[in-house]
Amino acid sequence: MDEAGFALERKRMVEEQIARRGIREPRLLAVMESLPRHLFVGEENLPWAYADGPLPIGHGQTISQPYIVALMTDMLHLAGTERVLEVGTGSGYQAAALGRMALEVHTVEIVPSLAERAGKLLVELGLDNVHVHTSDGSLGWPDAAPYDGILVAATAPRVPRPLLEQLQDGGRLALPVGSVSGYQALETWVRRGLEFDHEAGLPVAFVPLRGKHGWK
Ligand code: SAH
């Protein structure tokens, strides 16, 4: 398929998978329509690059479903001035969406080869406000804290305390909580001084968060 074909698939993806399910933020829809998802999936998955589901990216990991990428980005309420942390870089696709929606993004990946591949692609796409780090992201990334938004792309047993601590006052954290074999739901946490409001939403299916505050 050529670039025009991919652009057409992207337009359909945004209309049928994202806008139709209730995401209306024009800036976010434009970003989802602009991002070349086909460059983030392997050659063997090109025919399904814009399909309505997750895809394997190697090392037993997946690139999330386009709708979930949009939904979790939407949960952070980004206006464009924010500094954001992502845990679980994977392919770099979610980080790219955050990079186009916020001022600065730090994304942490525990598998070095995934971090390296994502970092290269993000540079090629000119996303120089996205910084990829190889580390245990269940500990956050203290060097650039506090963050206005934090997004976790792997499911945790419970919300990791370091992530709450690295949230700015008024900042928002979006993450799946629950086990891989059992029930997982997306949660939003909002910092109010020393307190946190939280609510649980959609049931989801993410790979496990590893590391100190992940699954053993
Ligand atoms: N956001 C990704 C999807 C990531 S899948 C994308 O857009 O493609 C989840 C990722 O989290 C995997 O790459 C996995 O290696 C990574 N991961 C799991 N535990 C982690 C941890 N403790 N710190 C950082 N990354 C972790």
Side-chain angles (χ1 to χ4, degrees):
M1 187 174 305
D2 59 4
E3 287 306 315
F6 284 128
L8 211 63
E9 289 204 337
R10 267 203 300 280
K11 200 170 159 57
R12 284 237 308 271
M13 173 192 86
V14 168
E15 282 168 15
E16 293 171 10
Q17 302 172 30
I18 300 175
R20 191 171 294 172
R21 291 192 177 113
I23 292 177
R24 294 286 143 76
E25 225 275 280
R27 218 164 58 89
L28 177 56
L29 296 180
V31 164
M32 296 303 295
E33 196 170 324
S34 77
L35 277 181
R37 183 173 163 95
H38 60 282
L39 301 182
F40 292 85
V41 307
E43 193 81 11
E44 65 287 4
N45 287 310
L46 272 186
W48 303 279
Y50 296 97
D52 194 12
L55 290 168
I57 55 170
H59 301 270
Q61 306 303 327
T62 55
I63 177 172
S64 305
Q65 180 188 8
Y67 170 62
I68 295 294
V69 170
L71 178 67
M72 291 187 79
T73 306
D74 204 40
M75 285 161 73
L76 298 184
H77 295 183
L78 300 172
T81 56
E82 295 82 2
R83 301 177 59 259
V84 175
L85 171 68
E86 183 199 21
V87 177
T89 313
S91 69
Y93 178 67
Q94 171 74 74
L98 293 170
R100 292 215 171 141
M101 290 295 292
L103 184 65
E104 183 182 319
V105 177
H106 291 268
T107 179
V108 183
E109 172 56 54
I110 205 164
V111 178
S113 59
L114 288 176
E116 197 185 321
R117 192 169 72 194
K120 274 194 194 134
L121 181 52
L122 291 165
V123 167
E124 278 168 29
L125 293 174
L127 281 148
D128 51 12
N129 63 335
V130 182
H131 309 279
V132 183
H133 310 284
T134 304
S135 182
D136 173 8
S138 78
L139 299 169
W141 184 255
D143 292 9
Y147 302 97
D148 305 295
I150 301 180
L151 189 159
V152 185
T155 188
R158 64 191 64 80
V159 60
R161 176 56 47 181
L163 300 184
L164 291 177
E165 285 165 358
Q166 289 170 36
L167 210 52
Q168 181 89 265
D169 198 11
R172 302 173 68 83
L173 163 64
L175 83 168
V177 173
S179 72
V180 173
S181 49
Y183 182 78
Q184 301 174 25
L186 284 181
E187 294 187 359
T188 313
W189 292 70
V190 185
R191 182 169 198 153
R192 310 261 179 234
L194 294 176
E195 316 261 289
F196 296 89
D197 292 341
H198 86 283
E199 55 186 52
L202 204 73
V204 284
F206 275 86
V207 299
L209 182 72
R210 293 159 53 193
K212 182 146 188 268
H213 298 272
W215 293 97
K216 292 296 168 282

